Amino acid sequence: MAHKRKLKRSEVPVNLTWNLTDIFKTPADYEKACQQTTDTINHFSSFKDHLGDSAQNLLLATEKLVNVIDVNIDKTWAYAELLYASDMTNPVAQQVKGASDELMATFYAGTAFYKIEISGIESDKLQSYMTQEPKLLHYQFYFDKIRLNSAHQLTATEEKLLGVLNATLQSPNDVFDTLNDIDLNFGTLRDENGDEIELTMGNASQFIQSQNRDIRKKAVDMIAHAHISVSHTMAKLYNTHVHSQNTIAALRGYHSARSQQLAQNNIPEALYDVLISKTHEHINTVYRYYDLRKKMLGVEQLHHYDLSVPLTGKDFLPTTYEEGKKLALEALKPLGEDYVNQVKEALNNRWIDVAENIGKSSGGFEIGIATVHPYILLNWTNKLYSTNILVHELGHAIHSVRSNQTQPVQYSEAATFNAEITSTLNEILLQNYLIKKYQNDREAQIYLRTKSIASFLGTFVTQVKFAEFEQMTYQTEQNGQALSLTVLNQMATQLEKQFNGDRIVDDYLDDSYAFHFASVPHFYYNFYVYQYATSYAVASAIANKILSGDKQALDNYRRFLASGGVDYPVNLIKSAGVDMVSGEYLDSVFANFEEDVNTLEQLFSTK
C-alpha cells in the first residue's frame, strides 16, 4: 500500500503552473516597479489641496491616478498575491507579499486625499470643468461613484491614518489564511485502495464522496477536530475583524457595516433581506430533498458526511485535467465560438496553476490584471468537481478579458456582485451539457441531478445561511456583545437547525461554529457571501433563456460580459434582462431546484 503525499512546489510539472513572467520577467523587475510606483505616489501628493483648482489639474491628477498608479498597483499586487498563493512557505514569496502590503499601505495613504477632494468639488463646478475639458467626461461615472458616499468621507488626516493602518486592519484575514492554509494539519487516512493519503482541503472532496461510509466519516471527523482544536483562536480572529469593520462604519457615519459595504455599489439593503426571507419560504423543499437522500442511501439517520456521496453507488466521470479541459470547451459552446477561443487561450498559455502542492492556497480563484491577462488557481483532484471549478474560474477570466478589451481602465473591473454571475452561469452550462449528453443513462441522470442539487445547496442555500450568520454576528457585535466562541456556537446551532430542520444529525452540535463556519475565508471579505447566492439566481434566470434559444438573451449577456464596471451592478444586470429589485428573479432558481428534486424522485421510483 502506497503513501501518497502532497507535492513540493518544485516537483509540480511546469506546464501545470502559471507563468508569472508575463507580469514581471524577474523579481528585480517587480522590485523596480514597486519603487517606481512609490515614487509616483509621492509625487502625486503635489495635487493635494489643488485638485479642484482647474479642469486641467483635475484631468492631470485623474489620469495619473487611473492610468499610472492604479495600473501599476494592479500588477504589483497581483504578482505578490499569485506568487504567495503558489507556495506560502516560500521565503521569497513571503518577502514579496510583505513588500506588496507595504506598497498598498503607501498607496492608500498617499492617494486618500483624492476621493475627499473629488467629493468636495461643488456639482456645478465639476460640471463646468467637464464642459471646459471634454476628456473629463470619460470619468463622469468614476466621479459619480466616488461622490455617491461623499457624506461618509472623513477628513484628509483621518483618511490617511486609515490608509496607513490598512495592513493592520487586514491582519485578522492574513492570520486566518496562515492558520487555515498552512498550520492546520488534518493527518492521513487510507482510501478505498488502502493507500495512505495526506488529507487536505484540496483533496477532501474525494474522501467525503467515498462510497465507504467509514472513510467519509473519518475524513469529516479529522477536518472537524482540526478546526475545533483552534476554535478559540478562530473566534478571536473573527471577533477582531468584525469589531474593526463595525468601528470603521461607525466612524464614517453608516448605520451598520453592511450598509457601508452595500453602499459602495449602490445596492439596496432590501435585496439582502429579501434573499434570506425568500429562502426560508422555500426551505421545505430542502427538507424534502434530505428525506429523499436518506431513503436513497438506505440509512437510518442522515449525517453531514452523507451529504456529498453520489447516490448512484459509484463516482461518475472521474476526470483528468486534460479531460476536464475538453468538457469545458464543449459545455461553453452556447456562448459562441469567440468565447470558446478565448477559453482556449487561457488553457494553452499557462494562465492556470493546476496541481495542489505544499503551501499552496486552497480552493480556487481568479485574479484579473487589466494590462496583462487573468490568472486562475486550481487544486485539481481528478473529480468532476474540479471541472466545475475550472469552468467557474474561466467565467471570471473571460469576463475580465472582455471588460478589459472593451472598457477604459477606470471601468474595466466588474463589481463582485456581477462577476459571480459569469462564473456561476458557466457551471450551469456544464451541468446542462452533461445532463443532455447522458440523458438515456439512468445512473448518470441520478448523479447529475444530485450534483445540480448539491450546487444549488452549496452555492445558494449555504451562502444564504452564511449571509444570515454574517448579519447576525455583525449586529450582535455592534450592540456591544463580544463574539466569544460560546456566542458564535449558539448562533451557528440556531441556523443549522433552521436550514436543516431535524433531517440531519449534527455530530458537532456543541462545536457548530468550528464545524460549519470557522473555516470559511469569505467572512473576512465583508458581506461577500450573499453575492454568491444572488449571482446564482441571476445566472439561472439568464441561462434558462440562453438554453431555450433566446437570441436576445444571449446578445444581452454578451454585452454584459464586456460591460465591466461602467454602471452600478443592479443597473447592468437589468440591462442583461433581469430585474433584481422585485425579487422575482429568485423564483427561477427555486423552480429549477424543485424540478431537480421531482426528477430525482421519479428516477428513484422507476428502478
Side-chain angles (χ1 to χ4, degrees), residues 174-215:
D174 293 338
V175 174
F176 170 86
D177 286 344
T178 302
L179 181 61
N180 200 48
D181 293 334
I182 299 177
D183 290 343
L184 276 186
N185 188 320
F186 303 128
T188 62
L189 75 166
R190 296 193 184 278
D191 64 12
E192 291 94 334
N193 301 319
D195 294 328
E196 189 174 355
I197 299 175
E198 180 182 357
L199 179 63
T200 68
M201 291 306 293
N203 66 13
S205 62
Q206 72 183 71
F207 295 103
I208 295 171
Q209 295 177 21
S210 172
Q211 288 299 315
N212 187 317
R213 203 179 191 205
D214 290 336
I215 289 177

Side-chain angles (χ1 to χ4, degrees), residues 175-422:
V175 174
F176 170 86
D177 286 344
T178 302
L179 181 61
N180 200 48
D181 293 334
I182 299 177
D183 290 343
L184 276 186
N185 188 320
F186 303 128
T188 62
L189 75 166
R190 296 193 184 278
D191 64 12
E192 291 94 334
N193 301 319
D195 294 328
E196 189 174 355
I197 299 175
E198 180 182 357
L199 179 63
T200 68
M201 291 306 293
N203 66 13
S205 62
Q206 72 183 71
F207 295 103
I208 295 171
Q209 295 177 21
S210 172
Q211 288 299 315
N212 187 317
R213 203 179 191 205
D214 290 336
I215 289 177
R216 61 181 189 261
K217 180 181 185 305
K218 185 172 183 181
V220 169
D221 284 345
M222 290 168 70
I223 293 171
H225 287 136
H227 284 111
I228 290 169
S229 72
V230 294
S231 56
H232 286 281
T233 301
M234 291 287 203
K236 188 67 175 178
L237 284 173
Y238 185 58
N239 180 75
T240 301
H241 176 74
V242 171
H243 177 72
S244 68
Q245 297 307 309
N246 275 336
T247 300
I248 292 171
L251 287 172
R252 292 192 179 281
Y254 289 96
H255 67 80
S256 69
R258 188 182 80 169
S259 67
Q260 174 181 252
Q261 198 62 34
L262 271 61
Q264 306 313 304
N265 283 301
N266 204 27
I267 295 169
E269 286 193 76
L271 290 184
Y272 200 105
D273 297 325
V274 168
L275 176 70
I276 293 172
S277 62
K278 276 265 193 180
T279 301
H280 282 294
E281 287 175 17
H282 291 269
I283 204 68
N284 283 335
T285 310
V286 176
Y287 299 163
R288 186 175 134 217
Y289 168 66
Y290 288 148
D291 288 339
L292 177 61
R293 170 170 272 275
K294 175 183 172 182
K295 187 186 298 182
M296 293 181 75
L297 285 174
V299 296
E300 291 185 8
Q301 293 180 319
L302 195 66
H303 294 255
H304 284 283
Y305 51 79
D306 295 319
L307 299 182
S308 299
V309 58
L311 295 176
T312 54
K314 64 177 181 180
D315 190 15
F316 178 75
L317 268 183
T319 311
T320 65
Y321 180 55
E322 291 301 316
E323 292 167 338
K325 290 194 294 185
K326 291 177 183 177
L327 282 176
L329 292 171
E330 289 296 320
L332 300 177
K333 281 183 177 179
L335 298 180
E337 184 179 355
D338 55 341
Y339 189 98
V340 172
N341 286 337
Q342 288 178 318
V343 169
K344 288 179 181 177
E345 185 178 2
L347 295 173
N348 297 334
N349 290 284
R350 290 182 60 201
W351 295 9
I352 305 175
D353 204 85
V354 181
E356 187 179 21
N357 59 256
I358 294 172
K360 185 175 178 179
S361 180
S362 59
F365 64 71
E366 177 269 351
I367 290 179
I369 309 174
T371 55
V372 187
H373 58 71
Y375 285 88
I376 292 172
L377 178 139
L378 303 174
N379 283 276
W380 199 267
T381 63
N382 285 349
K383 295 279 186 178
L384 186 58
Y385 171 78
S386 289
T387 305
N388 258 79
I389 301 298
L390 174 62
V391 297
H392 178 102
E393 302 304 341
L394 283 169
H396 286 310
I398 307 308
H399 189 194
S400 176
V401 168
R402 294 204 168 189
S403 292
N404 288 330
Q405 289 175 340
T406 309
Q407 303 299 336
V409 173
Q410 65 268 27
Y411 302 135
S412 62
E413 185 175 358
T416 300
F417 193 82
N418 288 2
E420 291 300 332
I421 294 170
T422 64

